[in-house]
Amino acid sequence: MIFAAGLGTRLKPLTDRMPKALVRVGGEPLLKHVVLKFRDAGFDRIVVNVHHFADQIIDYLNANNNFGIDIRISDERDMLLETGGGLKKAAPLFDSSSPVFIHNVDILSNLDFNKFYGADRKVVCPSCGVPHEMAGATLLVSWRKTKRYLIFNRQQRLVGWVNIEMRQIKSCYEEVRALEPEIQEGDVIDILHRHHLSAFAFSGIHTFSPKLFPLMKDYPDKFPIMDFYLQNADRVAIKGIVDDSLRLLDVGKLDTLDQAESFLIKYGC
């Protein structure tokens, strides 16, 4: 699934007349770059959600014959549903037997799609050290400086989220939430490490097992997927996949848009 429904407010004034997905980098729309990476990796069905200037995206895909693959539209023109709500609405469009590979339309990277999609989803048991549980979702993460980090335990299982500037923690684990007073006084990353926790930046790229959809039943139509992950991390394993070789550019702002063409050339993505 490609999340392409956003308003693209950080790319104004370009997005006053077009969707973010059709903003061009290296002469081609962002959407085309992501679609071709999926196609070249052997994926034969893609779901694209639409809201802002939805008709432009639909017309663009039709004009290009969907790039020769099965592309299905999840229509959010009535209401922008955010990432969690968008995924929930699109549920009937997915193959229920396979994990959904999710990618934001404004992300460029050197990621090997097949390597990430085929990564080991088993999660190690903290008590016996044996991998026995399959992760319900895998999140592509890496170390880079940012304001917000995901928190993982020694088994690379998601246990929380931290805002470095606000020194705020979100977690469904009481022992992780209990660290908030401590991080008010010191270096957040160092404190997490002392408690055998790691902090990584999320890439906007993840896989999601359709078996998790029942957990969304009581969620509203509109919600962020990260809230869903954080609220259910104690019920189902959410695993971080660390890629130290990952080079990623969020093309969501005008200043990064200026860097995007050289990024494409350098990393061949």
Side-chain angles (χ1 to χ4, degrees):
M1 181 173 187
I2 301 175
F3 284 139
L7 299 176
T9 52
R10 295 180 300 165
L11 282 173
K12 282 180 171 289
L14 294 177
T15 48
D16 287 336
R17 60 182 185 274
M18 69 173 70
K20 175 171 57 176
L22 297 187
V23 171
R24 291 179 177 268
V25 171
E28 300 289 356
L30 286 166
L31 180 61
K32 181 178 180 179
H33 289 291
V34 183
V35 167
L36 292 187
K37 285 205 71 170
F38 273 121
R39 189 189 70 180
D40 293 348
F43 291 83
D44 56 12
R45 181 192 300 179
I46 299 174
V47 175
V48 179
N49 68 341
V50 295
H51 172 80
H52 186 56
F53 291 114
D55 289 340
Q56 289 188 30
I57 294 176
I58 294 169
D59 291 346
Y60 172 76
L61 291 171
N62 287 337
N64 288 276
N65 297 311
N66 287 342
F67 297 97
I69 57 176
D70 180 3
I71 297 183
R72 306 182 180 191
I73 297 297
S74 183
D75 195 331
E76 298 180 21
R77 278 178 281 198
D78 289 342
M79 180 172 68
L80 184 60
L81 301 176
E82 298 192 48
T83 48
L87 182 60
K88 180 181 178 182
K89 178 179 174 63
L93 302 175
F94 300 122
D95 178 351
S96 62
S97 66
S98 302
V100 181
F101 188 146
I102 302 167
H103 197 296
N104 289 348
V105 76
D106 56 359
I107 296 295
L108 299 175
S109 78
N110 64 344
L111 178 68
D112 182 327
F113 277 30
N114 284 315
K115 182 179 179 181
F116 172 66
Y117 191 70
D120 186 1
R121 292 184 170 86
K122 291 181 181 178
V123 180
V124 175
C125 172
S127 57
C128 67
V130 176
H132 67 92
E133 182 179 3
M134 296 297 289
T138 61
L139 314 182
L140 179 65
V141 298
S142 63
W143 172 253
R144 67 179 188 274
K145 287 189 176 182
T146 183
K147 297 177 182 179
R148 294 172 292 274
Y149 291 96
L150 297 179
I151 306 172
F152 297 89
N153 65 13
R154 281 180 288 189
Q155 290 75 41
Q156 277 306 110
R157 182 168 178 160
L158 179 71
V159 295
W161 168 97
V162 62
N163 185 311
I164 296 290
E165 286 190 343
M166 303 298 293
R167 295 181 178 268
Q168 175 191 12
I169 284 179
K170 292 181 182 179
S171 176
C172 55
Y173 292 93
E174 183 178 352
E175 61 269 28
V176 177
R177 295 195 305 272
L179 297 178
E180 193 163 282
E182 191 174 345
I183 69 169
Q184 299 292 332
E185 305 297 331
D187 181 273
V188 174
I189 303 301
D190 182 57
I191 291 167
L192 291 175
H193 285 170
R194 291 207 305 267
H195 289 274
H196 308 291
L197 300 170
S198 300
F200 292 100
F202 181 44
S203 65
I205 300 170
H206 43 131
T207 71
F208 178 94
S209 170
K211 294 179 181 179
L212 297 186
F213 279 124
L215 293 178
M216 290 182 168
K217 180 181 178 182
D218 295 327
Y219 275 72
D221 291 338
K222 179 178 180 178
F223 63 96
I225 189 61
M226 192 51 65
D227 283 359
F228 172 82
Y229 287 151
L230 292 169
Q231 290 161 6
N232 291 280
D234 58 343
R235 302 174 64 185
V236 61
I238 310 295
K239 182 177 181 180
I241 304 294
V242 182
D243 186 345
D244 292 326
S245 65
L246 180 67
R247 298 296 179 267
L248 179 145
L249 186 66
D250 179 350
V251 196
K253 298 183 292 185
L254 288 174
D255 58 344
T256 51
L257 186 60
D258 293 338
Q259 306 168 29
E261 189 162 353
S262 58
F263 184 93
L264 285 175
I265 295 170
K266 183 174 182 179
Y267 295 108
C269 51

